[in-house]
Amino acid sequence: MRKFHIFTDLDGTLLGKEDYRYEVNVQLISDLKLKGIGVSLNTSKTLSETECWQYKLGLDSPFIIENGAAILFPKNKFELEQLKPHKVESRGRYFCIVLGMKIDLLEDLYRPYAEKVTSLIHCPQNEAKSLTGLGGSDLQRARTREFSLPLIIPDPSVKEELASVASQIGARLIEGGRFCHLQGNADKGSSMLIAKKILEESLESELISISLGDSENDLGMLRAAEYGIYLGSDQKMIDECARNNISLEYTAAPDGWGKALKKALEHYSVD
């Protein structure tokens, strides 16, 4: 019997991009779980942010944070032995496979450009609130980062220069929905494949992966999945999807998430 697993971005995909609306998808997630189809979040968000969304959405699968920088496995569902030979750290209720670059090295890269770019971590509270639409504890969780620096870089020449400097030490800039993310070489696609392999070994079954995303930083996981779905209308992304056999969904999030997922499951004749 074929088994499926969903890997999904959050903002602009499962959640509304500006209002973070998600309630329309809660019932579908519950229905998927009843069918034995797991859902793993694969997001640029931090550990504490993603934990909150795991709870809100009723999820208990492994999840990926900060654009592929780390994969979290619930300790009540996975043994440490299952995660070898990867580097594993303990994070409360989770085992954490660390794939990204630590924040202090990224801050060293950022400092020479501090007057030319805006950093979500370093900018004033009010500016961070305006950039994200978040406040209070939600904003604090978004700024508590371990492996990535979300940046606003108005000048394309500065962006090009920073990307070049970053590449010299094994880091890079990745375009997201709101920010450019300065981070190590891990990405959503490679981390998804690691998580998928561990899930397959745990279930003793091959998995068909379905991935959903809305931004350039999602391309890796859209390409890596058996069935990738892009939610959006950016022409550059649409061209990439055409070259990589990635499906398109033009209905905006959060409604487009369920619509696209149902089409994908119908493709595999799953009711």
Side-chain angles (χ1 to χ4, degrees), residues 66 69-70 91 98 100-102 106 145-148 182-183:
E66 297 198 44
R91 301 293 176 88
V98 177
M101 185 175 287
K102 295 293 187 180
L106 299 171
R145 308 193 81 84
E146 298 180 76
F147 309 106
S148 61
L182 181 61
Q183 61 180 76

Side-chain angles (χ1 to χ4, degrees), residues 86-106:
H86 300 285
K87 176 186 175 184
V88 179
E89 298 178 1
S90 179
R91 301 293 176 88
R93 294 175 291 166
Y94 304 99
F95 292 121
C96 177
I97 293 179
V98 177
L99 302 164
M101 185 175 287
K102 295 293 187 180
I103 193 72
D104 55 344
L105 294 174
L106 299 171

Side-chain angles (χ1 to χ4, degrees), residues 94-211:
Y94 304 99
F95 292 121
C96 177
I97 293 179
V98 177
L99 302 164
M101 185 175 287
K102 295 293 187 180
I103 193 72
D104 55 344
L105 294 174
L106 299 171
E107 288 184 310
D108 288 343
L109 284 173
Y110 153 77
R111 285 189 187 97
Y113 299 90
E115 295 183 2
K116 301 177 181 179
V117 307
T118 300
S119 162
L120 177 63
I121 292 177
H122 301 94
C123 69
Q125 187 88 350
N126 286 344
E127 188 172 5
K129 183 176 181 179
S130 175
L131 289 171
T132 61
L134 300 172
S137 59
D138 288 337
L139 181 57
Q140 182 60 37
R141 282 189 284 267
R143 299 178 88 182
T144 307
R145 308 193 81 84
E146 298 180 76
F147 309 106
S148 61
L149 270 179
L151 304 173
I152 300 293
I153 310 176
D155 187 336
S157 66
V158 172
K159 184 184 294 186
E160 185 177 347
E161 181 182 333
L162 180 53
S164 176
V165 171
S167 69
Q168 294 172 26
I169 66 160
R172 60 176 171 166
L173 278 176
I174 297 180
E175 291 279 356
R178 286 186 176 84
F179 299 94
C180 283
H181 297 267
L182 181 61
Q183 61 180 76
N185 267 329
D187 63 43
K188 289 186 175 186
S190 56
S191 297
M192 185 198 85
L193 291 175
I194 291 170
K196 181 190 173 193
K197 185 174 187 294
I198 292 169
L199 282 164
E200 288 177 328
E201 290 170 353
S202 174
L203 296 167
E204 297 182 342
S205 174
E206 290 188 5
L207 289 172
I208 296 172
S209 56
I210 300 171
S211 65

